[in-house]
Amino acid sequence: MKLQRKNRLRALSLGAVAVSGALALTACGSDDTGKKTTDGSSSSTSASSIKCDGAKGQLLADGSSAQKNAIDAWVKSFSQACGVQINYKGGGSGAGVTAFTQGQVAFAGSDSALKPEEVAASKKVCSGGQGIDLPMVGGPIAVGYNVPGVDNLVLDAPTLAKIFDSKITKWNDPAIKKLNPSAKLPDLKVQPFHRSDESGTTDNFTKYLIATTPDNWKYSGGKAWQAKGGQSAPQSAGVAQQVKQTSGAIGYFELSYVSDGVKAVSIDTGASKPVAPSTESATADIAAAKVVGTGKDLSLQLDYKTKAEGAYPITLVTYEIVCDKGNKADSLPATKAFLRYIASEDGQKVLSGIDYAPVPDKIIAKVRTTIEGLS
């Protein structure tokens, strides 16, 4: 009887896997860090609230790994409602932009807005139009660390710059002690991890260092890591996993990748209290962002130098990049329907439950209008 019951359970399990594969979901419940991304109560959306509008077939997309947990949650609800298969690789912002400008994907995700040369390249695949940036996901870039015995850690921009530029090499360095007088800092090697792939997370993290401590961070910035030393890993999940398994490690990744064994640094911004990364503290910073894109482009300028109370300064906004005109006819209905859903009130509500920040109302309203005009 026990053997029959075991075989029956195994068959049920395989059946569930087959159904999951048919939906082509990349990760319904957890990412490759093992962190739970969502559950039915926090991220599910009523199928009746999603407008499919003739969406069918499948969509290929690639880009920001920062938003992958959000995309996974959105795909779960949208695919169940509309039957559209969405394969989002999450290979990093650089890979996503390249795939988009080569016409390989219906849309891309990037934590950095398109550069002029990338806009020019997009015109070759957007017949009569060009690629535009639609801000869709906000959130803090957490600085995660793994230092035994240290449950609360405060760092500021100069100290972070010196750590990631290999100028501070021990956790009991005087600069860290000064910011953490009550912490029992060990005589342990600092092991900084950065992204090995081109990443908008790297771009935003280094923009913060450039803006706040240029004397200590003398690099030009961009998606590719420039400082010497340290160790690297691909994508946010890879950096988070290395920090989790390496004593003395520190790295940067989105808050949704902070998990057991990894704690997040609070940042001394000059406000009355250090600010920890959270959806609320990120929203406080992103709310001050300004739209600097022209035409239908909605790229934003973030305030990395904020000293506002409760505002976390190391934030990013992930853009969905799509053609304003000249989208492929076979994928346009599904692309518009998916973007319409994730920009909707229901779609944005999903974000705060999985450690992301919804896009401020004034900005997301412009995104919704732009989506309706895609052709």
Side-chain angles (χ1 to χ4, degrees), residues 299-313:
S299 56
L300 304 176
Q301 183 179 68
L302 300 172
D303 183 9
Y304 299 104
K305 299 173 72 174
T306 183
K307 294 183 180 179
E309 297 295 331
Y312 185 78

Side-chain angles (χ1 to χ4, degrees), residues 320-344:
E320 308 312 332
I321 296 171
V322 66
C323 296
D324 59 353
K325 298 178 182 178
N327 289 279
K328 294 179 180 178
D330 58 346
S331 61
L332 179 60
T335 299
K336 286 184 71 171
F338 181 65
L339 294 178
R340 181 186 295 118
Y341 160 57
I342 68 179
S344 71

Side-chain angles (χ1 to χ4, degrees), residues 33-35 145-146 240-241 243-245 257-263:
T33 68
K35 177 175 176 62
Y145 69 97
N146 177 2
Q241 185 64 27
V243 172
K244 181 177 181 178
Q245 65 188 27
Y257 289 95
V258 174
S259 60
D260 294 341
V262 178
K263 299 177 176 66

Side-chain angles (χ1 to χ4, degrees), residues 156-157 160 204-213 267 304 313-314:
D156 58 12
L160 275 173
N204 284 274
F205 180 64
T206 55
K207 279 179 179 176
Y208 163 73
L209 296 177
I210 292 167
T212 54
T213 185
I267 303 298
Y304 299 104
I314 318 176

Side-chain angles (χ1 to χ4, degrees), residues 16-274:
V17 171
V19 171
S20 176
L23 290 174
L25 301 181
T26 53
C28 295
S30 63
D31 60 25
D32 55 5
T33 68
K35 177 175 176 62
K36 185 176 182 182
T37 59
T38 184
D39 58 33
S41 62
S42 65
S43 69
S44 62
T45 301
S46 171
S48 62
S49 70
I50 297 177
K51 298 179 180 179
C52 300
D53 287 347
K56 60 183 179 179
Q58 66 175 11
L59 291 179
L60 298 180
D62 195 3
S64 165
S65 64
Q67 70 166 355
K68 189 175 185 301
N69 290 339
I71 289 285
D72 288 346
W74 283 328
V75 164
K76 180 179 181 181
S77 295
F78 183 78
S79 293
Q80 287 175 341
C82 300
V84 175
Q85 298 179 357
I86 299 178
N87 181 6
Y88 182 81
K89 292 182 179 180
S93 297
V97 172
T98 297
F100 179 76
T101 57
Q102 292 179 351
Q104 298 172 355
V105 294
F107 70 90
S110 177
D111 308 319
S112 298
L114 290 169
K115 296 178 180 178
E117 60 270 25
E118 293 168 340
V119 173
S122 73
K123 293 180 180 180
K124 297 178 182 178
V125 296
C126 300
S127 180
Q130 65 179 50
I132 57 173
D133 302 286
L134 301 178
M136 204 71 77
V137 183
I141 300 175
V143 180
Y145 69 97
N146 177 2
V147 181
V150 181
D151 294 327
N152 297 290
L153 184 68
V154 175
L155 296 174
D156 58 12
T159 308
L160 275 173
K162 292 173 184 176
I163 286 173
F164 281 93
D165 200 21
S166 302
K167 300 291 176 59
I168 290 178
T169 59
K170 289 293 185 72
W171 279 108
N172 60 354
D173 186 276
I176 302 178
K177 281 186 175 181
K178 185 177 180 179
L179 292 164
N180 301 272
S182 61
K184 295 182 179 179
L185 297 166
D187 183 15
L188 178 67
K189 181 181 178 181
V190 175
Q191 301 204 55
F193 282 86
H194 58 265
R195 291 281 290 272
S196 59
D197 53 322
E198 288 201 353
S199 160
T201 309
T202 293
D203 190 17
N204 284 274
F205 180 64
T206 55
K207 279 179 179 176
Y208 163 73
L209 296 177
I210 292 167
T212 54
T213 185
D215 290 344
N216 294 296
W217 194 261
K218 298 181 181 297
Y219 303 97
S220 60
K223 291 187 180 76
W225 185 258
Q226 296 173 324
K228 306 299 181 184
Q231 302 176 66
S232 66
Q235 301 156 15
S236 292
V239 174
Q241 185 64 27
Q242 289 299 318
V243 172
K244 181 177 181 178
Q245 65 188 27
T246 306
S247 180
I250 186 170
Y252 57 90
F253 34 79
E254 293 64 45
L255 185 60
S256 63
Y257 289 95
V258 174
S259 60
D260 294 341
V262 178
K263 299 177 176 66
V265 170
S266 292
I267 303 298
D268 183 347
T269 65
S272 63
K273 295 180 180 179

